[in-house]
Amino acid sequence: MGSYNLTHLKELESEAIFVIREVVAQFENPVLLFSGGKDSIVCYHLARKAFYPAKVPFPLMHVDTGHNFPETIQFRDKLIEETGARLIVGSVQQSIDEGKSTEEKGVNASRNKLQTVTLLDAIEANKFDCAMGGARRDEEKARAKERFFSHRDDFGQWDPKNQRPELWNTFNGKKNMGEHFRVFPISNWTEMDIWQYILAEKIDIPSIYFSHTRDCFVRDGVIMGKTDFVETKDTEEVQPMVVRFRTIGDATCTGAVASTAATLEEIIEEVASTRVTERGGRSDDKRSEAAMEDRKKEGYF
């Protein structure tokens, strides 16, 4: 692809870097939420470019469900070690142990929703006044409603009907004591933009995104990776499948796709021709028509 022959990627990069710099200018104690997924990796890459040759002037925070894909955690730790970033880990397991969250039961149990309590507690404990992350408007209809600067009240909650206007990239970060903001630097990017940018910038990503053989089973039409955290039904047959993951989240609710795409170029070609949305394999989004919006109102990212 060369250094850059896709002009729109330059524009998106410039916009995202501007947003990240605005965060540092307007807030006293920001943090970048980091899951080890492709979008948060791109956000961290953009942050490093925004302040180069200085170090990124804010920490990274991972809300750890304890039900992660091992490839993701290995990649996260390697990246932190190589770049010298400061990592804060919020533990969902700790929230459960302290009685702040209740573990779901049954074969469809997931800790994904439980991240909200852990995230809000970590924001309060560290006195973060802004949490940046890699959410994009094309991912899901609730996220399409978000502004770049998304205000949260003193309970950490989001009101989609009460958002501030953003005209000519003028961002309003004013808040009262106890309130904070969520900021989404790559709001205007698409899944295709992310993959093209990763290819252009030669950004390392976890191996789980590329085609590989994995023990899987099918549940409600979704290919699920078999892990120690996922309970299977008697009717579900676990067998080796050639798959990859388009999005990475809690292993209990993140589906894979059958794929032979083993390179970035092949992934881009696959994404260009698919008729299934990126989060089409996320069972947590299917619990209700407004599942994501309900979680966001409660404080989910």
Side-chain angles (χ1 to χ4, degrees), residues 19 22 53 107 117 123 127 161 179 188 218 232 262 271 275:
V19 172
E22 275 293 296
V107 294
V117 171
I123 288 174
K127 294 181 169 52
K161 296 181 180 179
E179 299 174 346
N188 287 334
V218 178
T232 55
V271 170
R275 305 299 297 173

Side-chain angles (χ1 to χ4, degrees), residues 147 241 291:
R147 304 288 197 266
M241 298 184 188

Side-chain angles (χ1 to χ4, degrees), residues 156-167:
Q157 297 177 335
W158 172 64
D159 182 359
K161 296 181 180 179
N162 185 26
Q163 298 191 81
R164 300 173 180 180
E166 291 181 345
L167 306 175

Side-chain angles (χ1 to χ4, degrees), residues 92-193:
V92 170
Q93 183 62 56
Q94 182 177 340
S95 297
I96 295 170
D97 293 342
E98 294 175 351
K100 296 178 179 179
S101 297
T102 302
E103 184 101 64
E104 294 182 359
K105 305 297 182 183
V107 294
N108 293 311
S110 173
R111 288 186 173 183
N112 198 55
K113 187 176 181 180
L114 305 188
Q115 293 180 83
T116 299
V117 171
T118 307
L119 172 60
L120 294 177
D121 281 351
I123 288 174
E124 182 177 1
N126 292 278
K127 294 181 169 52
F128 293 127
D129 54 359
C130 175
M132 290 177 284
R136 309 187 321 268
R137 292 193 181 109
D138 75 319
E139 287 183 87
E140 205 274 340
K141 57 188 177 183
R143 284 182 168 165
K145 299 178 182 180
E146 288 274 22
R147 304 288 197 266
F148 277 102
F149 275 40
S150 183
H151 176 262
R152 296 298 195 271
D153 64 20
D154 52 355
F155 294 103
Q157 297 177 335
W158 172 64
D159 182 359
K161 296 181 180 179
N162 185 26
Q163 298 191 81
R164 300 173 180 180
E166 291 181 345
L167 306 175
W168 305 289
N169 278 352
T170 300
F171 303 119
N172 182 357
K174 293 183 179 180
K175 58 179 177 55
N176 296 317
M177 180 68 68
E179 299 174 346
H180 72 276
F181 274 76
R182 308 286 172 84
V183 173
F184 309 101
I186 59 172
S187 286
N188 287 334
W189 297 49
T190 66
E191 182 187 9
M192 178 63 79
D193 295 329

